[in-house]
Amino acid sequence: GGRAPESFQNVPRDVGDDVEISLRPAGDDTYALSPYPFREDGLEVYFEGRYLARFAADDAPDMAQVMRTTPVERQTMRLIAG
């Protein structure tokens, strides 16, 4: 829910050729990518990880315990030409 448009500068495209890449939400776990480097429009990718709550540095939990008890979740997203 906290995803917003983002830009990444100096992404190498070729030797001596860097570009700025922008990524913006396009609805339903779809994100518009510009410039779009793939031949076909619509690339589905997924990754797995844990959602962790923020904590203050002076109130750090036992991270080993947190990792053992926090379930791994899968997120899927679709990249389209933007």
Side-chain angles (χ1 to χ4, degrees):
R3 295 193 171 95
E6 187 66 62
S7 291
F8 304 94
Q9 297 180 0
N10 303 318
V11 176
R13 180 169 44 187
D14 202 347
V15 175
D17 183 16
D18 292 354
V19 296
E20 180 177 347
I21 292 182
S22 65
L23 187 68
R24 65 176 173 75
D28 296 329
D29 297 323
T30 299
Y31 297 85
L33 179 64
S34 178
Y36 189 80
F38 307 108
R39 184 178 334 164
E40 294 185 27
D41 195 13
L43 171 68
E44 189 170 291
V45 296
Y46 77 89
F47 47 92
E48 295 178 341
R50 294 173 173 86
Y51 288 100
L52 302 178
R54 291 182 183 221
F55 56 85
D58 60 343
D59 191 28
D62 175 357
M63 288 307 294
Q65 176 67 19
V66 169
M67 297 304 278
R68 279 193 299 274
T69 59
T70 304
V72 172
E73 296 187 37
R74 182 178 186 162
Q75 287 190 18
T76 302
M77 68 170 37
R78 181 175 166 83
L79 299 175
I80 60 172

